[in-house]
Amino acid sequence: MINHDNLEEYRDPINYDLEFGGETNKYNFYLDMARLNPGEVLELACGTGLTTIHLSKSGIHITGVDISSSMLEYARVKAQGLPVDFIEADARTFDSEKRFSMIYLTGNAFQAFLSDDDQRALLETVYKHLESNGIFVFETRNPLGTDLSNQEESIWGNFIDKDGIKVKISGTQSYDSSNQIMHWVTIRDWGSEKTISRIACRFTDNDTLQRLLTSRGFCIENQYSDWDKTPFTPLSPSIITVCRKHGA
């Protein structure tokens, strides 16, 4: 089941890009992965196409899939004239005749799949749409390298919005340890108004993650802690996983 609260974060695509864009090291990591595995690429949960468009501008033929129509609408505006297709679909049920040399998720999107069934459905989509020996790449926050304590409202940062206004960002977090789900509430303060959005993310430890991937037909080739390909360690804040499809 989709947690519809998660979609609140994606109501304002232009300001979303201004708040979360500019992660050049990440974009180049996925570009390098695509170049090492020539062919067509699929990004699931692509949002406004921040990474998708970066790859497309470098000549990669890529398809972006997302469940949010507003995010995709803005992605299409930005991608005019580029070799990229955007499709509105749920990554758990997406179905295409195409097969891809590489499939990836970024922005910790793997954590939006909140149940065992959701994770399995996502991986079935990936396995089905990968070419034989294709690669699957994604990152997720590492629970052992993350502060999972419950926290009252605190300052998180700021960004400059599309009208040049400095927006202050604060929020709270509450962790449901029985389901490994963090609930974040984000408060954005424009001075004249405030918005509140909620998002839920599941934290899967690396041992569980490795068992899950192996059980769904993937062989893990590398795990990194950052976009510079520093090897993963148990307390790294991120788990960046590169795995390959086994079988036909």
Side-chain angles (χ1 to χ4, degrees):
M1 171 180 272
I2 296 171
N3 185 319
H4 287 282
D5 285 350
N6 280 2
L7 301 180
E8 292 179 345
E9 272 291 277
Y10 312 124
R11 294 174 297 194
D12 188 352
I14 297 175
N15 281 326
Y16 178 92
D17 275 14
L18 292 170
E19 182 176 349
F20 296 107
E23 295 182 275
T24 306
N25 288 344
K26 179 177 80 172
Y27 309 152
N28 285 333
F29 172 88
Y30 283 103
L31 176 58
D32 289 344
M33 289 291 106
R35 285 173 168 164
L36 288 169
N37 297 271
E40 291 202 45
V41 174
L42 172 65
E43 180 179 1
L44 295 172
C46 68
T48 63
L50 286 167
T51 311
T52 331
I53 290 171
H54 184 81
L55 270 63
S56 183
K57 285 179 176 177
S58 297
I60 305 296
H61 287 267
I62 187 165
T63 299
V65 169
D66 200 272
I67 200 169
S68 169
S69 58
S70 61
M71 299 288 269
L72 289 178
E73 183 178 353
Y74 187 45
R76 292 186 181 106
V77 170
K78 296 190 297 178
Q80 288 180 18
L82 294 172
V84 54
D85 295 314
F86 288 108
I87 299 171
E88 184 178 342
D90 186 327
R92 296 166 299 179
T93 55
F94 172 68
D95 189 24
S96 171
E97 296 300 316
K98 274 192 174 183
R99 298 297 177 262
F100 301 88
S101 61
M102 170 176 150
I103 299 176
Y104 73 96
L105 295 89
T106 191
N108 297 306
F110 183 83
Q111 292 183 253
F113 298 86
L114 300 180
S115 69
D116 290 348
D117 286 344
D118 288 341
Q119 289 182 345
R120 284 192 292 265
L122 168 68
L123 294 179
E124 286 171 7
T125 294
V126 173
Y127 190 89
K128 176 180 179 179
H129 291 90
L130 269 180
E131 294 175 351
S132 181
N133 213 39
I135 66 162
F136 174 43
V137 191
F138 67 101
E139 88 273 7
T140 180
R141 299 177 189 89
N142 177 21
L144 293 180
T146 303
D147 181 358
L148 298 177
S149 62
N150 294 338
Q151 296 179 11
E152 297 299 316
E153 184 179 349
S154 60
I155 299 298
W156 288 354
N158 61 77
F159 74 99
I160 305 299
D161 81 349
K162 61 188 177 184
D163 298 315
I165 297 170
K166 184 176 182 178
V167 183
K168 298 175 183 178
I169 307 166
S170 60
T172 66
Q173 67 177 44
S174 176
Y175 189 58
D176 173 2
S177 58
S178 61
N179 292 302
Q180 299 89 46
I181 293 175
M182 178 68 80
H183 297 273
W184 279 296
V185 177
T186 303
I187 302 153
R188 294 177 176 88
D189 184 354
W190 271 261
S192 60
E193 65 170 327
K194 291 183 179 181
T195 62
I196 296 175
S197 63
R198 291 162 289 271
I199 192 166
C201 290
R202 187 179 190 186
F203 279 76
T204 304
D205 68 83
N206 196 37
D207 288 345
T208 302
L209 189 63
Q210 290 187 353
R211 287 195 298 270
L212 175 64
L213 290 166
T214 301
S215 72
R216 309 315 293 182
F218 297 96
C219 175
I220 297 171
E221 293 195 338
N222 287 295
Q223 288 190 305
Y224 305 113
S225 64
D226 59 37
W227 305 119
D228 295 329
K229 300 183 181 180
T230 303
F232 173 76
T233 62
L235 296 180
S236 297
S238 291
I239 312 169
I240 304 170
T241 301
V242 180
C243 50
R244 198 169 294 275
K245 175 179 177 175
H246 266 332

